[in-house]
Amino acid sequence: MTVKFFTRRTLLLALLASGLCSSLTGPAAAATPPDTLVQAFAFDDIITMDPAESFEISGGEIIGNTYERLIRFDPSEPSQLSGSLAQSWTISADGKTFSFELKPGLRFASGNPLSAEDVVFSLQRAVLLDKTPAFILTQFGWDKATVAAKVRQTGPLTLQFDIDKPYAPSFVLNCLTANVASVVDKKLLLGKAQNGDLGAAWLKLNHAGSGPFKLREWRANELLVLDRNDAFHGPKPALARVIYRHVKEAATQRLLLEKGDVDIARNLAPQDLTALAANKDIKLTSTAKGTVYYLSLNQKNPNLAKPQVREAFKWLVDYDAIGATLIKDIGVVHQNFLPQGLLGASSERPFKLDVAKAKSLLTQAGLGDGFKVTMDVRTAQPVQGIAEAIQQTAKRAGIAIEIIPGDGKQTLTKYRARKHDIYIGEWGADYWDPHTNADTFARNPDNSDEARLKPLSWRNAWDIPALTLKSDAALLERDAAKRAKQYQALQTEFRQTSPFVMLFQQTQVAALRATVNGFKLGPTSDSTYLAPVTKR
């Protein structure tokens, strides 16, 4: 692998080329500009900047800082919801109609006024485009034919929408905090529309939001720049801009941080964090993330579809060794699809490395002599190291795994088409409700290749009609204690039967220069907010 080092001169020249740094204070200057936050961050998974289509971890952070929604949750207490664009809301007695009133005087970054018409357009647009994250909204019973009637404007600053069932209210409201519910500038987008695409082609690389920052430039696998949005309705960010430098190698990120070429490093390895803890110019911050890492087995592969093989893989991971080395300080071993912090999350951990047990299971499956299989792996840590560790332990049971490396976009595209054998990946909660993960891991209403909904269970061709019904029932339970028990039961069944090997829950850690204040990692990919950040 080629390691690319960004020196002070390289970074400053990049800033100058982008018009982001007006002067240098002298040949010894190492600090980044005082009004600019520079982050080293691996963001090779970003595919688009359209909130109706974006469904990647890194893109979530960008959209979370450049778009507003009706409501948001408090990153410090995710169960607490408050109005963002919405001034107030009510729910009908039957639980099926939600009404919202917007705050007055709202504007987009373009300068266009933001009204209920834009909110209605945004929700309808996400359903009409029907991209990957649209299911978060279509699970309300909305579709292309009916969304215009179900989501409607009732006044300049008021709107209503109907849902098909009386779901738990917290579920519906939490869905509205997801990126796909971001409000876009209708006037701007329709002015950029081509062939009836509602501005989708233009928005892949541009911005039509009202958040505290606006997108200035995105160069895939290289650079991403946000500028302050002076039309933002809330407290204005102190920073004039934020620059993300795409740096995949942890060692390179650490070097840039120590030299002062970046203010924050976001993808450091455990050994880097240990070394930086003693540096007085660096401070560390961390948070338990609603992100789980997993190994998945495509059930279209006849060997992987055998129940004994699915279980064998769960005994072929050295969880303790991975926890003590590859994810030390950046994650904790976790064997359930619900991350800790969500209602009903389980802490059960029945699996450990047991090669003899795995070999016995393979023999029961008629594969006592082993078999060959491929694994698609994003070339980034810690997944690359974990993949290599699993490759070694699987080999002890006779399973020969060929690792196919690729960047985030390559591996995701193949995975979403369910053309993989084994995939190692991560899943971040889209909203703070247990259904966000149950819906993708334990629900698959249509396993056909032509299915409209394509959750992780579908990507791995896991046909689960009974488990789907149980997930649906949990969604309708309004009693929180009863609902929690339903999700615990779902996780028990999932651990025993699923083609998913749950590995760990992420503890996200960032290292930052001591001059940076107010930076706090959020529990979801879109809740690491940059507006409160200052530099001294």
Side-chain angles (χ1 to χ4, degrees), residues 38-100:
V38 183
Q39 301 191 63
F41 192 34
F43 56 82
D44 58 317
D45 57 331
I46 297 179
I47 295 174
T48 177
M49 287 297 158
D50 188 340
E53 182 177 7
S54 177
F55 206 51
E56 293 73 46
I57 297 290
S58 301
E61 179 167 324
I62 307 306
I63 290 172
N65 282 284
T66 55
Y67 285 85
E68 285 283 82
R69 302 153 186 74
L70 285 169
I71 54 180
R72 286 187 184 268
F73 64 78
D74 182 347
S76 300
E77 183 49 67
S79 63
Q80 299 299 313
L81 298 173
S82 61
S84 186
L85 297 177
Q87 182 167 267
S88 63
W89 61 88
T90 59
I91 306 172
S92 64
D94 66 359
K96 296 172 67 174
T97 299
F98 288 67
S99 302
F100 294 86

Side-chain angles (χ1 to χ4, degrees), residues 271-467:
Q271 61 267 29
D272 299 306
L273 297 172
T274 300
L276 289 172
N279 188 327
K280 64 179 178 60
D281 295 322
I282 306 296
K283 53 188 178 182
L284 303 178
T285 184
S286 65
T287 192
K289 206 79 172 177
T291 298
V292 290
Y293 284 70
Y294 64 90
L295 195 74
S296 64
L297 314 176
N298 192 342
Q299 300 299 279
K300 287 196 169 189
N301 181 309
N303 287 336
L304 300 179
K306 297 177 183 292
Q308 301 93 334
V309 175
R310 294 201 298 259
E311 184 182 350
F313 267 94
K314 295 169 187 177
W315 298 102
L316 286 174
V317 177
D318 194 342
Y319 302 94
D320 290 335
I322 290 171
T325 56
L326 296 172
I327 64 168
K328 183 176 182 287
D329 299 324
I330 62 171
V332 293
V333 174
H334 189 66
Q335 296 181 350
N336 300 281
F337 67 73
L338 283 185
Q340 290 297 320
L342 282 172
L343 178 73
S346 172
S347 59
E348 292 295 317
R349 186 184 153 182
F351 302 109
K352 61 181 180 180
L353 178 64
D354 190 333
V355 176
K357 187 165 187 172
K359 291 179 74 172
S360 175
L361 286 163
L362 292 175
T363 298
Q364 294 174 38
L367 295 168
D369 295 330
F371 61 95
K372 294 181 180 180
V373 70
T374 63
M375 182 192 298
D376 289 281
V377 180
R378 179 186 179 193
T379 52
Q381 297 296 356
V383 294
Q384 189 172 353
I386 293 173
E388 291 166 355
I390 294 173
Q391 181 187 48
Q392 292 303 311
T393 49
K395 185 177 180 181
R396 292 165 58 185
I399 301 175
I401 298 177
E402 177 191 354
I403 292 178
I404 303 177
D407 68 19
K409 291 186 292 295
Q410 290 171 329
T411 55
L412 267 176
T413 299
K414 184 177 179 181
Y415 183 43
R416 287 172 174 171
R418 54 182 185 181
K419 294 182 178 179
H420 64 294
D421 283 339
I422 301 175
Y423 176 82
I424 183 169
E426 59 188 304
W427 180 268
D430 295 306
Y431 46 91
W432 209 251
D433 183 273
H435 189 67
T436 185
N437 277 29
D439 188 38
T440 197
F441 282 106
R443 190 173 182 275
N444 186 10
D446 180 1
N447 195 46
S448 68
D449 288 340
E450 299 77 25
R452 184 176 62 84
L453 300 177
K454 299 179 179 180
L456 297 185
S457 52
W458 177 91
R459 293 183 195 178
N460 291 282
W462 189 35
D463 197 8
I464 44 171
L467 202 61

